[in-house]
Amino acid sequence: MNTATNLNELAANRCFGGWQKRFSHTSSVLNCEMTFSVYVPPDAANGTTVPVVYWLSGLTCTDENFVSKAGAQRIASELGIMLVIPDTSPRGDDVPDADDEAYDLGLGAGFYINATQAPWAKHYRMYDYIVDELPNVIQQHFNVHDKAAIAGHSMGGHGALMIALSNVKRFSSVSAFSPIVNPMDCPWGQKAFSHYLGDDKSEWQQYDSCELMREQGKFLQIPMLIDQGLADDFYTTQKLAKPLEDVALATSYPAEFRYHGGYDHSYFFISSFIEDHLRFHAKHLAEYV
């Protein structure tokens, strides 16, 4: 039996007939106090059971970036979807950070994996937090369906894709903007994985979407939508999106990849296409609701 988790409501704002809320709670998985945001659509506020889309944000972000910049609440209200937006890493005075205050390691850069190396292993277990602890908290405190969808941006796109490919029966669909898809072979991923997981690259494979799709894509599949801006400064340097499309083509994986001229890595890109992503998830969530 799951122990009930107490929530501390930090903010509540009326929004498109529903509520944009922010909470904190003590995480037993991450051994620290965590914050997350929730958009509660009007249907949920009135007691109806609703589906959930989890959104995972990218490097340097907190749960507040998506809330204030993506413009997702209007369409979530229309579709009757709850949005759950966790932080990107553990936080707190006792939580280790990069010695050089680098933006791509430590606070704000949890990479949604379970660290095994000191000093990270005690707190940096974002995989377990996203897959198990946070959904249990949401189930305890909100009237939601068991089946959910998951989406994310950049590092969060990596997290969404990797978690969905590892838990295909847990999610109805997955989508991503500008995702890190092959962290074993890009600078951001190699830096994070070597610190969090050590030098044995066989330990990295379980968190690499290209490896996961290559290994199981012909047998275990989940509906997938990926958008990539072609003016993204990181598209080539971090090998975003395209390596996974290559694997999808090789394995006949039915994922949709869309490339957009002129769009960069920012939330201007996300806000331009977030409606497409939420409608994509609503379509697949409807099969279970």
Side-chain angles (χ1 to χ4, degrees):
M1 174 179 281
N2 295 317
T3 303
T5 300
N6 293 323
L7 293 184
N8 178 31
E9 186 174 293
L10 303 175
N13 299 94
R14 195 75 167 151
C15 185
F16 291 104
W19 289 92
Q20 182 63 59
K21 296 191 174 188
R22 193 173 193 231
F23 299 94
S24 67
H25 73 105
T26 300
S27 169
S28 60
V29 168
L30 303 177
N31 294 296
C32 66
E33 195 76 4
M34 287 295 287
T35 60
F36 65 90
S37 292
V38 176
Y39 177 67
V40 183
D43 287 347
N46 294 330
T48 301
T49 302
V50 297
V52 178
V53 173
Y54 287 89
W55 173 269
L56 307 185
S57 296
L59 288 166
T60 76
C61 290
T62 69
D63 55 296
E64 295 183 290
N65 296 78
F66 179 83
V67 169
S68 62
K69 295 180 178 180
Q73 292 91 344
R74 177 187 62 82
I75 189 65
S77 173
E78 175 192 327
L79 297 172
I81 289 174
M82 180 175 289
L83 303 174
V84 177
I85 308 100
D87 202 347
T88 54
S89 80
R91 308 270 179 178
D93 293 339
D94 296 332
V95 176
D97 195 7
D99 292 337
D100 57 0
E101 298 183 355
Y103 75 95
D104 52 357
L105 184 71
L107 300 184
F111 269 83
Y112 305 102
I113 66 176
N114 287 339
T116 58
Q117 303 298 301
W120 314 101
K122 180 180 178 181
H123 298 284
Y124 284 75
R125 302 186 61 81
M126 288 297 292
Y127 180 92
D128 283 352
Y129 180 71
I130 299 299
V131 172
D132 295 319
E133 186 175 30
L134 183 58
N136 286 335
V137 171
I138 298 302
Q139 290 282 344
Q140 288 171 18
H141 292 275
F142 299 95
N143 194 17
V144 296
H145 290 286
D146 291 337
K147 188 71 78 170
I150 191 166
H153 170 233
S154 193
M155 177 187 73
H158 143 72
L161 291 166
M162 175 270 295
I163 286 172
L165 287 167
S166 300
N167 300 273
V168 294
K169 294 183 179 180
R170 293 277 299 273
F171 298 99
S172 65
S173 48
V174 59
S175 70
F177 291 84
S178 315
I180 301 169
V181 295
N182 193 192
M184 293 182 67
D185 191 32
C186 78
W188 278 340
Q190 290 169 338
K191 180 176 181 177
F193 282 20
S194 62
H195 282 80
Y196 296 150
L197 300 173
D199 295 329
D200 182 357
K201 293 190 176 181
S202 67
E203 297 297 319
W204 300 12
Q205 293 177 351
Q206 63 187 308
Y207 299 118
D208 187 295
S209 294
C210 284
E211 292 294 324
L212 289 167
M213 183 180 283
R214 187 177 292 114
E215 178 182 333
Q216 66 187 33
K218 292 183 179 180
F219 312 103
L220 297 172
Q221 298 178 345
I222 183 172
M224 181 182 296
L225 171 64
I226 294 176
D227 278 331
Q228 175 65 54
L230 293 177
D232 187 332
D233 290 341
F234 305 112
Y235 174 47
T236 300
T237 60
Q238 300 294 338
K239 302 181 181 180
L240 305 180
K242 190 63 169 65
L244 189 65
E245 183 182 26
D246 293 340
V247 177
L249 290 171
T251 59
S252 299
Y253 197 104
E256 182 178 4
F257 290 79
R258 309 191 305 185
Y259 295 87
H260 306 272
Y263 286 92
D264 59 18
H265 199 73
S266 72
Y267 267 86
F268 293 110
F269 174 44
I270 295 170
S271 64
S272 298
F273 297 100
I274 190 64
E275 180 171 347
D276 290 355
H277 284 239
L278 292 183
R279 291 194 183 281
F280 167 79
H281 291 303
K283 172 187 174 182
H284 293 287
L285 283 164
E287 299 175 13
Y288 299 96
V289 173

